[in-house]
């Protein structure tokens, strides 16, 4: 009934199927890994490097925090999100950190839930990045105050570089076309 499919071959454009096939063979969560890879491609420079900092509006945020925040809607859906908010409310109440007033209470619960989701998101992010590195789609290195610090913290920040087929996910840079004096030739900068 089903036929064994043959391996997909890449084209000269962005062939997402090739990237997905590689992720499916390497990653335990290929859809999550692809979403992560796509987000990295969105903020990467033309050479494929992203990070260590991302400008979000007027705020500058680390790449890892931005990726966790961008993927946060995936974590805040369904019954697990409601259970998280309830657990946060209980924890804050037991520690006596729940303020008076509905608005202040809701804001405190949301802030703590956001911090917990970001912490869990960083673990998921690290696991997915490791899978992308082993798939040959991403290179990871660190930049910051103490790159070779014995403590992994050391104020280092992740920089991810797209490599191999992942470079095809970069948005195509359209050259500026300038009108020529005669209207026949187009100059490309």
């Amino acid at each position: 009934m089903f036929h064994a499919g043959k391996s997909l071959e890449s084209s000269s454009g962005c062939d997402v199927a090739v990237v997905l096939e590689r992720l499916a063979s390497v990653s335990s969560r290929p859809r999550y890994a692809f979403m992560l890879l796509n987000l990295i491609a969105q903020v990467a420079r033309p050479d494929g490097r992203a990070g260590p900092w991302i400008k979000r509006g007027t705020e500058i945020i680390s790449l890892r925090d931005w990726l966790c925040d961008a993927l946060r809607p995936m974590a805040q859906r369904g019954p697990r999100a409601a259970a998280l908010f309830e657990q946060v409310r209980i924890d804050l109440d037991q520690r006596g950190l729940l303020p008076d007033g509905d608005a202040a209470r809701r804001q405190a619960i949301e802030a703590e839930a956001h911090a917990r989701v970001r912490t869990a998101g960083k673990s998921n992010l690290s696991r997915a990045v490791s899978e992308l590195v082993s798939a040959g789609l991403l290179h990871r290195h660190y930049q910051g105050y103490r790159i070779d610090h014995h403590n992994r913290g050391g104020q280092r920040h992740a920089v991810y570089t797209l490599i191999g087929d992942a470079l095809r996910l970069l948005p195509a840079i359209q050259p500026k076309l300038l009108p020529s004096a005669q209207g026949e030739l187009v100059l490309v900068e």
Side-chain angles (χ1 to χ4, degrees), residues 178-186:
L178 302 175
S180 67
Q182 296 178 347
E184 295 176 13
L185 301 174
V186 177

Side-chain angles (χ1 to χ4, degrees), residues 20-30 130-136:
L20 288 174
E21 183 178 17
R22 180 164 315 151
L23 285 175
S25 66
V26 172
S27 177
S28 61
R29 297 172 64 191
S130 293
E131 290 175 344
L132 290 170
V133 168
S134 67

